[in-house]
Amino acid sequence: MSAPNKSYDPVEVEALKPEEIDRAREQALAAVAAAGDLDELREVKSAHAGDRSPLALANREIGALPPHAKAEAGKRVGQARGAVGKALKIRQEELERERDERVLVEEAVDVTLPYDRTPAGARHPLTTLSERIEDVFTAMGYEVAEGPEVEAEWFNFDALNLGPDHPARTMQDTFFVESPAGEQGGADPESGSGVVLRTHTSPVQIRSLLERELPVYVICPGRVYRTDELDATHTPVFSQVELLAVDEGLTMADLRGTLDHMVRTLFGEGLATRLRPSYFPFTEPSAELDMVCFVCRGDSVHNPERPCRTCSSEGWIELGGCGMVNPRVLRACGVDPERYSGFAFGFGIERMLMFRHSVEDMRDMVEGDARFTRPFGMEI
Ligand code: DAH
């Protein structure tokens, strides 16, 4: 037998000396305990449990030991590595918990802060309602027509059979931009007519008939002007929608059916309408269109203990004026009233917005405060 091979002697393998293993173990555990965050712990792990850590290197030396020494060295190294691995795991969990708690505090969301620093804004409910009404009619084949807000008196009044002495032509209602030729000079040079801010959308009826081929089916939304003071129920600038159909064989029944369809689409099924006799110079016969109140359905009339704010317990809501186009209007536009007939309807959008959405003060609609418009939604 040859002399014992010195290199097999565990005492001689520096890394496997018990005190070296204990020292490596203590150093590793101390480093684990000292790791202040997960990054540091990752470095500790690589230094004390990685491939090139003292304990891993010691582990590699075990194979070179004589069999009787392997077991004890293996046990000692294994236990040390196990202890370090366990400590790493526990510290890892601790640090993760700490991090999660810190993140919860640091990234807490203050739900009371404004969610949007540059709000997207909101479309004005007058615009969305008027587009909705346009949709009802374009779906039936109507075209959208427009006209100028600064309008010749001839279009705004004369062609609509509003003669020079009609009350609507007095200074009371109308904003005059230029007086007629002959009076104070300035006037529309072609017609000699004065110039006004249009008082209604009805002049677009005339423009449409002059510009288009018959038959004509148009819906004309737009802004109109009257010399009213701004208060809860009046505004000098407001919006109307005008409807005009001129074709062969149109009767009042067509007007009625068209308006019924509009009421159904905008307010829901089963609401009766009625035409109340009225007078407008540009229609003959003329009527006011009423619909049964869509809130109380007329019940408030017989039920004094349950009053209705929408219709003021009248049971009916007035929607607007309508009628069969006066033959004089057709003639003014070069349309033969013997062959063609037509119907027209006009109403105010502000008023409709008021009763449809319980808006109590018209001033809210003109002031431009986004807090008023936003609850109506974007409705694209
Ligand atoms: N232009 C009228 C107004 O502003 C409303 C109106 C009434 C329009 C009857 C019409 C109509 O087309 O037929 O008071």
Side-chain angles (χ1 to χ4, degrees):
M1 223 169 99
S2 61
N5 185 336
K6 280 207 156 223
S7 65
Y8 289 146
D9 182 348
V11 180
E12 293 302 312
V13 179
E14 191 68 17
L16 286 174
K17 284 183 183 167
E19 55 281 17
E20 277 304 312
I21 291 170
D22 289 347
R23 205 163 63 87
R25 171 190 171 129
E26 291 318 314
Q27 274 181 353
L29 293 177
V32 169
D37 59 36
L38 289 163
D39 286 340
E40 279 178 31
L41 190 66
R42 202 172 309 116
E43 278 168 27
V44 168
K45 187 174 183 178
S46 128
H48 295 277
D51 288 348
R52 306 210 49 80
S53 64
L55 287 173
L57 292 175
N59 195 48
R60 254 186 256 156
E61 300 290 338
I62 293 172
L65 293 177
H68 70 273
K70 272 185 187 169
E72 205 208 312
K75 190 174 164 198
R76 191 177 288 273
V77 174
Q79 281 177 346
R81 295 180 88 199
V84 172
K86 195 170 164 200
L88 275 168
K89 188 164 174 280
I90 290 171
R91 188 71 186 134
Q92 171 96 15
E93 284 168 4
E94 264 172 25
L95 289 172
E96 279 175 1
R97 207 177 316 118
E98 272 175 36
R99 178 201 57 195
D100 291 349
E101 278 166 14
R102 197 175 55 245
V103 164
L104 275 181
V105 174
E106 282 172 3
E107 296 184 6
V109 176
D110 180 353
V111 292
T112 64
L113 287 175
Y115 68 95
D116 193 351
R117 282 177 178 273
T118 48
R123 303 183 73 211
H124 199 281
L126 286 174
T127 313
T128 48
L129 179 56
S130 138
E131 284 180 5
R132 200 132 181 191
I133 296 162
E134 284 166 40
D135 287 347
V136 174
F137 288 97
T138 48
M140 286 193 274
Y142 283 70
E143 289 178 303
V144 177
E146 285 182 341
E149 290 172 21
V150 180
E151 183 60 286
E153 261 190 292
W154 186 81
F155 283 102
N156 195 76
F157 296 126
D158 301 65
L160 287 162
N161 194 31
L162 273 144
D165 299 326
H166 195 281
R169 288 184 76 138
T170 66
M171 287 298 285
Q172 257 182 21
D173 296 315
T174 311
F175 284 111
F176 285 89
V177 178
E178 279 175 29
S179 49
E183 274 185 25
Q184 276 142 41
D188 179 8
E190 271 172 44
S191 63
S193 147
V195 178
V196 299
L197 295 185
R198 67 179 177 192
T199 56
H200 51 180
T201 43
S202 302
V204 190
Q205 289 190 26
I206 307 300
R207 290 185 171 274
S208 303
L209 283 175
L210 290 173
E211 281 163 16
R212 288 160 199 257
E213 298 285 317
L214 291 164
V216 164
Y217 287 85
V218 287
I219 169 119
C220 330
R223 223 172 267 148
V224 303
Y225 301 82
R226 289 191 199 169
T227 55
D228 285 323
E229 294 286 331
L230 180 64
D231 63 25
T233 51
H234 295 87
T235 149
V237 187
F238 58 104
S239 324
Q240 285 189 337
V241 169
E242 189 86 12
L243 186 73
L244 173 72
V246 176
D247 203 343
E248 287 179 63
L250 289 181
T251 69
M252 205 117 181
D254 297 305
L255 169 65
R256 186 72 194 267
T258 307
L259 296 179
D260 271 355
H261 175 75
M262 178 191 81
V263 167
R264 262 202 310 278
T265 319
L266 291 176
F267 294 93
E269 292 291 332
L271 294 164
T273 60
R274 73 179 179 193
L275 293 181
R276 227 171 348 104
S278 184
Y279 171 76
F280 297 102
F282 31 91
T283 42
E284 183 58 39
S286 303
E288 297 280 351
L289 172 72
D290 295 344
M291 64 182 265
V292 158
C293 175
F294 60 95
V295 176
C296 73
R297 303 217 161 216
D299 290 348
S300 62
V301 180
H302 315 289
N303 242 338
E305 66 280 5
R306 296 187 63 192
C308 178
R309 284 165 60 194
T310 304
C311 66
S312 312
S313 300
E314 302 263 333
W316 293 91
I317 296 173
E318 187 182 309
L319 283 181
C322 62
M324 300 307 290
V325 180
N326 192 316
R328 300 177 70 146
V329 172
L330 294 178
R331 239 177 261 124
C333 301
V335 176
D336 178 5
E338 300 298 326
R339 183 168 165 204
Y340 290 97
S341 57
F343 59 77
F345 173 55
F347 59 100
I349 306 290
E350 280 79 0
R351 231 182 66 75
M352 187 179 270
L353 191 69
M354 283 179 101
F355 64 73
R356 196 168 181 263
H357 297 275
S358 305
V359 178
E360 282 176 4
D361 197 322
M362 228 180 234
R363 283 169 290 203
D364 289 335
M365 297 180 201
V366 295
E367 274 166 2
D369 189 331
R371 286 173 298 183
F372 168 73
T373 48
R374 212 172 283 127
F376 288 87
M378 286 294 284
E379 258 197 62
I380 307 233

